[in-house]
Amino acid sequence: MKKKVLSVLSLSVALWMNAQEKDSLNQKKIDEVVITGQYMQQSINKSIYKVEVIDAEQIKNMAATNVAEVLNQSLNIQITPDTRSGNSTANIMGLNGDYVKILIDNIPVVGDTGLGSNIDLTKITLSNIERIEIVKGSMGVEYGNGAVAGVINIITKKTSTKKVSVRGSVQEETVRDNYDLKKRGNGRHIQNLNIDYNISNEWFASINFNHNQFMGYEGESKGYKYFGQDNQRGYEWNPKDQYDASALLRYTKNKTTFFYKLSYLNENFNFYNPEVSRNPLNDGVGGVSYESRDRKYNTDRWVHQFNIQTNLGHIRYMGDFSYQNQDRKYYDYNYDIPNRAIKSRQDEKSYYKTDVIYSRGMFSNFLDSKVFDFQLGYELDYTNGYAALIAGDFFGEAVKRKIFTYSNFLSAEWNVSDKFSLRPGVRLSLSENFNNQYNYSLSARYKTSENSNLRAIIGSANRFPKYDELYTYFVNLNHDVQGNPDLNPEKGFSAGLFWNQNFSVDNGWKIAYGVDALYLDVRDRIEMVVVKQPSTYKYMNLNTYRNLLFSANVDFRKDQFALSLRGSVNGTSVSMNELTSSSPTDFQYLVQAGASATYKLKSTDTNFALYYKFTGPDRIYVSDGASGFRLGKVDSFHMMDFIVSQPFWNKHFEISAGVKNIFDVTRLNSTAIAGSAHTAANGFVNLYYGRSYFARLMFQF
């Protein structure tokens, strides 16, 4: 019922507003600028880093519902879903979300286990995003802890060209072949509404609301009503329901700009236990009850963010300040399946809880020179939270810990000539829990011609251990799983070479292409290893990780047509050590290819968009218990989406329809999964829930 009310409300508000200045649903193309890794907003062509940009028009054409779906189209970024927890994190160059820094407007996002890393990307919606910037490689000088494999910076919209602007959409999707609008129905149901208001020349305000309801996907399971005792109850993809809202107030005058943004997210996630117990009622007539012990999660996230950019004389200052809180609570309950009733439930308590105070400040333009500049900055992160309860309760209570880190960083940018620029940098990070960490970087850009650039970048980054790696302690008859408070931070190093060129030809074609090579090395990797047979595990600094990435892309554009082709080869070598054996260290290679094409009919403005991505077979070494290591394999797969969009009523409305995951990818066969301390290995990877169809109505006034 809620989603129907929200849909009607969104449309009613849009129709009630008086139409303001004409504006298309498609944003106008302007000179593309980036902020990730920059002293100030900079043209992407002049950026000293290789920055990949996914702009608002691309995001709209994809008809994606969250950041995870957008990034899944990018090569060498694989979104890894956990169908048990409902979280989906980014994997870059074979490294999981712990090694990828996720930012919103240059501020790290709070997650279950800390700040900026291992972030659930399905909790970040797209309704007010201007662009997504991606930098691969170690970015420890600029972004500190966790920026080992790369940085993903999500930039939200903070301006409007009109006095009042109302935008919104209603989107309905099937979940494979399941869909209906009933309260306990199937499918995915999304509504969002955004209102922008230019109060005056200096003041701008915006509010945004989004609702995303996913009703779950049974797959080879049989739903929550099933009470057979064959471990087939529940869902392959469990249901979850998200509400998020934000409000922004921005001020701009002369050389000073500041904004305050308040964001709130609520997510309800249901886990239905596949195990069903049969309990005699002892009623004299042979009655029995069928019960399962299910779990419900409720996540609340509050983000307060303040940013200021101003000049202190000729010195530029940019400051970010944020207080963030995320509390993921849960309770277990005994569910009487045939009678659809909760018989008993535990008290609700926190599963993960994280409070963060964060600040980052940067001073630049000390010399007021276009030839030489340097930047001085600081970053502090005070995180107060609970250790992850991955192995149950810690003797009935979660382990509460505080981690405080403070960093100073310094870099200089020297424009040696009109063609050649250099930027060295260094960071010192201090922590009450760990030894001092030093990170460094050296970036260079050479303008090989008017329309081409060659970039060379080396850099380092560290990753501090997480709560569960430090403090987990779970011992019973079958398990002995221990954290290690003496762990050292992991150390990452990367070196990259990037070349790109663009040009136009006489018949109107615009062509751009590029070639990239990137090497990544991570030392002192933290892994859970067997320290005593058969079941004593401990986190230790033992492993090393190396990755080689070669990629190329070419883009064609003419009039209403655009085509992009991409390809990459990614090699991974991992050194793993167990109690009695070590893994081979030869490189295993993964091939990926991708393409996207868009075409707009001039006569009707009908837009066609096609997205394709191929991921080849992935081979990695996994532990095989006492027998050592074996080479496992994950099957290859193809992904394709097709979307058609049609604006109407003077482009105030647009209707879109299409199909996602055309090749119906669900599970991938895998022999590359090792059993962990408390889970058995499966013979498959749950990657997607299959082909889905959608329809979307967008409006803008």
Side-chain angles (χ1 to χ4, degrees):
M1 186 64 183
K2 285 182 180 178
K3 59 179 175 289
K4 295 181 182 178
V5 172
L6 291 170
S7 300
V8 174
L9 176 62
S10 300
L11 287 170
S12 300
V13 170
L15 294 171
W16 173 80
M17 296 296 298
N18 289 325
Q20 305 292 319
E21 178 186 345
K22 179 181 176 182
D23 190 18
S24 169
L25 286 167
N26 290 323
Q27 293 192 355
K28 295 180 180 179
K29 276 285 185 181
I30 59 174
D31 291 337
E32 202 163 39
V33 295
V34 293
I35 66 172
T36 306
Q38 311 302 314
Y39 285 7
M40 59 183 295
Q41 189 166 274
Q42 179 73 273
S43 162
I44 190 171
N45 192 49
K46 295 180 180 178
S47 166
I48 203 159
Y49 287 103
K50 168 67 182 296
V51 184
E52 302 172 37
V53 177
I54 305 172
D55 63 26
E57 184 175 352
Q58 292 173 283
I59 293 171
K60 180 181 76 70
N61 288 339
M62 290 178 184
T65 61
N66 54 56
V67 170
E69 291 186 13
V70 173
L71 294 177
N72 240 342
Q73 297 288 351
S74 300
L75 252 60
N76 306 304
I77 298 180
Q78 179 63 50
I79 300 302
T80 306
D82 183 341
T83 59
R84 186 181 178 94
S85 71
N87 291 348
S88 294
T89 57
N91 177 311
I92 293 182
M93 298 181 71
L95 291 173
N96 64 29
D98 290 330
Y99 302 84
V100 181
K101 201 70 172 277
I102 307 295
L103 317 169
I104 296 181
D105 295 323
N106 247 11
I107 291 182
V109 184
V110 68
D112 289 333
T113 57
L115 187 68
S117 297
N118 208 32
I119 301 302
D120 176 18
L121 295 172
T122 67
K123 289 187 174 72
I124 304 176
T125 60
L126 298 167
S127 57
N128 200 35
I129 289 180
E130 183 176 287
R131 65 187 185 275
I132 300 173
E133 300 178 0
I134 304 165
V135 179
K136 295 186 177 76
S138 297
M139 296 280 288
V141 171
E142 287 81 4
Y143 295 104
N145 174 46
V148 177
V151 170
I152 298 171
N153 198 0
I154 299 156
I155 312 300
T156 61
K157 185 178 180 181
K158 305 176 191 69
T159 60
S160 176
T161 59
K162 300 185 295 183
K163 180 69 175 178
V164 179
S165 174
V166 179
R167 305 184 309 278
S169 69
V170 179
Q171 184 165 324
E172 296 292 313
E173 290 190 15
T174 69
V175 175
R176 209 174 192 191
D177 53 356
N178 297 329
Y179 176 77
D180 66 50
L181 278 170
K182 296 178 182 178
K183 184 177 180 181
R184 299 294 293 179
N186 300 310
R188 186 187 291 274
H189 318 286
I190 307 107
Q191 311 90 37
N192 69 71
L193 176 66
N194 179 271
I195 301 175
D196 297 335
Y197 180 39
N198 277 304
I199 303 169
S200 66
N201 291 334
E202 292 85 19
W203 291 95
F204 169 79
S206 175
I207 58 174
N208 184 73
F209 178 81
N210 192 80
H211 176 223
N212 190 334
Q213 185 178 35
F214 174 64
M215 303 305 295
Y217 174 62
E218 293 179 3
E220 296 187 10
S221 299
K222 298 185 178 180
Y224 77 100
K225 299 177 183 179
Y226 180 73
F227 51 90
Q229 294 181 279
D230 51 8
N231 288 327
Q232 293 191 43
R233 177 178 178 265
Y235 295 80
E236 282 189 5
W237 295 75
N238 286 290
K240 64 178 177 179
D241 197 8
Q242 293 177 341
Y243 290 88
D244 67 88
S246 64
L248 177 138
L249 185 64
R250 183 175 186 263
Y251 173 82
T252 303
K253 188 173 183 179
N254 298 329
K255 296 183 178 180
T256 297
T257 299
F258 67 78
F259 70 84
Y260 167 74
K261 184 167 69 174
L262 172 65
S263 304
Y264 171 71
L265 167 84
N266 175 259
E267 179 187 87
N268 287 295
F269 178 79
N270 297 289
F271 172 71
Y272 294 101
N273 197 331
E275 297 180 6
V276 177
S277 59
R278 181 179 184 274
N279 303 317
L281 296 178
N282 299 317
D283 55 2
V285 294
V288 296
S289 67
Y290 293 90
E291 298 178 13
S292 190
R293 191 167 181 82
D294 296 336
R295 176 172 287 190
K296 185 170 184 177
Y297 296 94
N298 182 36
T299 302
D300 289 296
R301 180 171 73 200
W302 289 93
V303 178
H304 300 264
Q305 178 180 348
F306 178 77
N307 170 275
I308 183 168
Q309 300 179 47
T310 190
N311 279 23
L312 308 173
H314 60 76
I315 297 174
R316 286 192 298 266
Y317 169 69
M318 182 169 71
D320 294 309
F321 306 87
S322 179
Y323 170 71
Q324 305 183 48
N325 170 274
Q326 180 161 305
D327 190 359
R328 187 174 196 184
K329 296 179 180 179
Y330 77 99
Y331 63 85
D332 292 329
Y333 59 95
N334 290 327
Y335 188 67
D336 184 338
I337 303 171
N339 294 313
R340 312 284 190 270
I342 296 177
K343 295 188 65 175
S344 63
R345 54 164 284 183
Q346 291 184 340
D347 293 335
E348 188 176 58
K349 53 186 176 180
S350 290
Y351 188 81
Y352 295 110
K353 185 176 181 180
T354 308
D355 290 277
V356 177
I357 297 173
Y358 174 85
S359 178
R360 183 172 185 252
M362 293 172 290
F363 300 85
S364 61
N365 200 40
F366 287 90
L367 304 179
D368 197 18
S369 168
K370 294 183 179 180
V371 175
F372 185 82
D373 189 15
F374 66 92
Q375 182 184 73
L376 178 64
Y378 75 87
E379 183 179 51
L380 64 86
D381 165 13
Y382 179 80
T383 300
N384 183 12
Y386 294 123
L389 305 182
I390 58 167
D393 291 344
F394 298 89
F395 299 104
E397 295 293 334
V399 177
K400 190 172 183 178
R401 289 292 187 271
K402 299 176 182 178
I403 295 179
F404 175 74
T405 58
Y406 176 81
S407 303
N408 280 114
F409 52 95
L410 173 67
S411 65
E413 190 161 304
W414 181 21
N415 294 312
V416 181
S417 68
D418 291 339
K419 293 186 175 182
F420 185 55
S421 301
L422 278 174
R423 186 197 289 182
V426 64
R427 172 187 284 243
L428 168 63
S429 299
L430 311 174
S431 171
E432 57 186 350
N433 300 78
F434 308 103
N435 294 331
N436 296 345
Q437 299 295 305
Y438 298 91
N439 288 307
Y440 55 88
S441 65
L442 178 62
S443 307
R445 180 177 73 91
Y446 181 70
K447 190 175 180 181
T448 52
S449 72
E450 188 62 31
N451 298 307
S452 66
N453 291 279
L454 178 65
R455 294 175 173 90
I457 300 168
I458 61 172
S460 68
N462 61 269
R463 184 184 79 84
F464 290 123
K466 300 184 301 182
Y467 287 128
D468 52 333
E469 294 166 339
L470 292 168
Y471 305 121
T472 295
Y473 187 79
F474 180 72
V475 179
N476 62 19
L477 293 176
N478 300 312
H479 299 93
D480 184 345
V481 183
Q482 300 180 31
N484 184 355
D486 297 321
L487 288 172
N488 295 316
E490 298 181 358
K491 299 176 180 63
F493 165 82
S494 69
L497 196 62
F498 311 90
W499 179 71
N500 69 282
Q501 182 169 15
N502 62 82
F503 60 91
S504 300
V505 293
D506 293 338
N507 58 6
W509 283 98
K510 296 180 180 179
I511 302 173
Y513 52 91
V515 179
D516 302 340
L518 184 61
Y519 170 75
L520 177 66
D521 191 316
V522 183
R523 301 295 175 93
D524 292 331
R525 281 198 74 195
I526 298 169
E527 295 285 352
M528 183 185 290
V529 298
V530 177
V531 294
K532 183 179 180 181
Q533 294 289 0
S535 58
T536 300
Y537 293 80
K538 189 174 184 178
Y539 286 102
M540 299 185 70
N541 292 101
L542 284 178
N543 299 343
T544 60
Y545 180 95
R546 294 179 295 160
N547 189 280
L548 280 169
L549 173 61
F550 301 97
S551 62
N553 67 280
V554 58
D555 301 318
F556 303 92
R557 184 180 295 272
K558 182 180 181 181
D559 300 328
Q560 308 294 97
F561 175 72
L563 173 66
S564 176
L565 303 174
R566 312 177 303 278
S568 71
V569 178
N570 198 337
T572 300
S573 167
V574 183
S575 169
M576 295 182 290
N577 298 280
E578 293 285 5
L579 187 64
T580 58
S581 61
S582 298
S583 68
T585 58
D586 54 312
F587 278 87
Q588 298 297 322
Y589 291 93
L590 170 68
V591 175
Q592 288 189 320
S596 63
T598 60
Y599 180 70
K600 181 178 289 187
L601 295 176
K602 282 186 177 182
S603 57
T604 61
D605 281 331
T606 307
N607 190 76
F608 301 90
L610 182 72
Y611 300 93
Y612 169 77
K613 181 179 177 180
F614 166 73
T615 300
D618 193 11
R619 295 174 176 83
I620 57 174
Y621 286 99
V622 294
S623 174
D624 205 15
S627 60
F629 291 85
R630 59 178 173 80
L631 186 62
K633 175 187 173 183
V634 182
D635 281 354
S636 62
F637 64 98
H638 301 262
M639 292 292 296
M640 182 180 285
D641 300 343
F642 178 67
I643 300 101
V644 181
S645 302
Q646 177 63 59
F648 60 97
W649 196 7
N650 205 21
K651 296 186 178 179
H652 288 308
F653 285 84
E654 181 179 281
I655 188 167
S656 303
V659 55
K660 300 179 181 180
N661 194 352
I662 290 174
F663 296 113
D664 200 27
V665 178
T666 55
R667 293 178 169 184
L668 300 181
N669 294 323
S670 174
T671 59
I673 304 175
S676 70
H678 28 98
T679 59
N682 295 319
F684 59 86
V685 175
N686 246 347
L687 204 58
Y688 305 101
Y689 52 74
R691 185 185 302 115
S692 63
Y693 301 88
F694 80 91
R696 178 185 66 190
L697 174 66
M698 299 181 69
F699 55 85
Q700 177 167 291
F701 287 87

